[in-house]
Amino acid sequence: MKKMLFMGLLLGLAVGTGAQTKVIAHRGFWDTSGSVQNSITALQRAQEAGVYGSEFDVLLTSDGVPVVNHDDVLHGLRIEDTPYDQLKDLRLVNGEMLPTLEAYLEQGKKDPSVRLVLEIKPHSTVNREDCAVLAVTGLVAKHGMEAQVEYISFSLNVCRKLKQFVPEAKVAYLEGNLSPEDVKRAGLDGIDYHYSFFTKHPGWVEQAHALGLTVNAWTVNRTEDMQQLIDAGVDFITTDNPLLLKELLNAKKK
């Protein structure tokens, strides 16, 4: 059934922009020695791997410090409800301290060729989300990295606020519940959906490209799925296996 769905996807899609699909490392390149998701090491490994971009997650502490972590809770402490002083000494599995966004940006700035794909996580209230957007974009501007950072979020409010506060920013929507036309009407720049949505809606890649939107599929780890999405013409693939995806793309060039 899955193969049939993907065949329908491929038959229903144009090649898109014609540009080669680009590699985004999911939460950095973490599936390698000494690394762990959303760590500074994961970003360094992604930079060493020469990917297009490295994706990571940001939450705001109770006192307004953006930190890099996927889950709302770390070592039993809910990040949104906890001041940074109570979080700063917590360690990740690889022994690193919980990274701040500022530290992540400082590492990212060392290799401007790698885009930082910054996901602002949904927060408990609209006000908290607005505060997160202001804090995050303020740090990006402080470091002069506006051209290197792209934004994604499951929160439509976050996406809209990003475009309101930083109109020139590239912003893509993650939730998958909006059509390309809806995302375009919302004033955003791309759809960034789980790859299963492109089997359910075989025309969405072509529609998005026709509207001038970019298309990313996540989180794609199997060779078969990668190849089918490459053939479908998606602009980006987010993966835990960036080296495998690079091999497939290099083979396609030959």
Side-chain angles (χ1 to χ4, degrees):
M1 176 63 71
K2 183 176 179 181
K3 185 175 181 180
M4 292 176 64
L5 286 170
F6 262 118
M7 287 303 295
L9 167 68
L10 297 178
L11 289 171
L13 294 179
V15 174
T17 62
Q20 186 181 41
T21 302
K22 297 178 177 64
V23 181
I24 296 176
H26 182 232
R27 303 177 195 168
F29 185 14
W30 59 268
D31 193 11
T32 185
S33 178
S35 190
V36 67
Q37 294 182 2
N38 278 322
S39 62
I40 298 291
T41 299
L43 175 55
Q44 291 172 327
R45 296 286 187 270
Q47 292 169 328
E48 291 163 5
V51 298
Y52 169 84
S54 186
E55 184 264 354
F56 61 103
D57 307 284
V58 175
L59 288 155
L60 199 65
T61 66
S62 65
D63 53 345
V65 178
V67 296
V68 178
N69 201 65
H70 177 268
D71 295 342
D72 296 340
V73 176
L74 181 65
H75 295 294
L77 296 173
R78 189 166 183 266
I79 290 172
E80 249 197 283
D81 298 335
T82 308
Y84 177 66
D85 276 350
Q86 293 182 31
L87 297 167
K88 63 183 178 63
D89 295 325
L90 298 182
R91 293 185 180 270
L92 307 181
V93 175
N94 68 341
E96 288 184 32
M97 300 295 188
L98 171 70
T100 61
L101 174 59
E102 183 130 42
Y104 225 78
L105 293 175
E106 288 169 354
Q107 177 59 41
K109 198 171 185 178
K110 294 176 182 178
D111 186 353
S113 70
V114 176
R115 301 292 180 91
L116 300 184
V117 183
L118 193 163
E119 178 180 346
I120 299 180
K121 303 295 287 184
H123 287 64
S124 57
T125 67
V126 169
N127 182 63
R128 289 289 294 165
E129 290 187 345
D130 294 353
C131 289
V133 169
L134 284 171
V136 167
T137 56
L139 277 177
V140 171
K142 172 186 171 182
H143 287 273
M145 297 176 68
E146 293 93 337
Q148 190 179 348
V149 176
E150 301 176 9
Y151 297 97
I152 56 176
S153 185
F154 283 95
S155 166
L156 188 57
N157 173 63
V158 165
C159 291
R160 284 173 165 159
K161 286 296 166 58
L162 281 164
K163 293 301 289 186
Q164 178 184 337
F165 296 151
V166 192
E168 66 277 12
K170 298 296 184 185
V171 181
Y173 182 56
L174 287 167
E175 184 64 37
N177 61 335
L178 297 180
S179 70
E181 291 87 351
D182 292 331
V183 171
K184 184 68 175 181
R185 277 193 292 270
L188 308 183
D189 303 290
I191 57 174
D192 191 338
Y193 291 167
H194 188 270
Y195 69 94
S196 63
F197 283 95
F198 300 116
T199 65
K200 297 174 186 174
H201 304 280
W204 274 9
V205 175
E206 184 177 11
Q207 291 169 21
H209 285 153
L211 292 165
L213 300 174
T214 57
V215 179
N216 180 69
W218 57 267
T219 300
V220 188
N221 293 329
R222 297 197 319 157
T223 302
E224 176 187 359
D225 298 332
M226 289 176 180
Q227 191 61 62
Q228 288 164 332
L229 288 159
I230 292 167
D231 293 341
V234 300
D235 301 290
F236 312 104
I237 292 176
T238 298
T239 179
D240 295 319
N241 298 320
L243 297 183
L244 172 60
L245 180 53
K246 284 191 71 176
E247 287 177 8
L248 291 177
L249 291 166
N250 287 336
K252 187 177 176 67
K253 289 180 182 177
K254 296 177 181 178

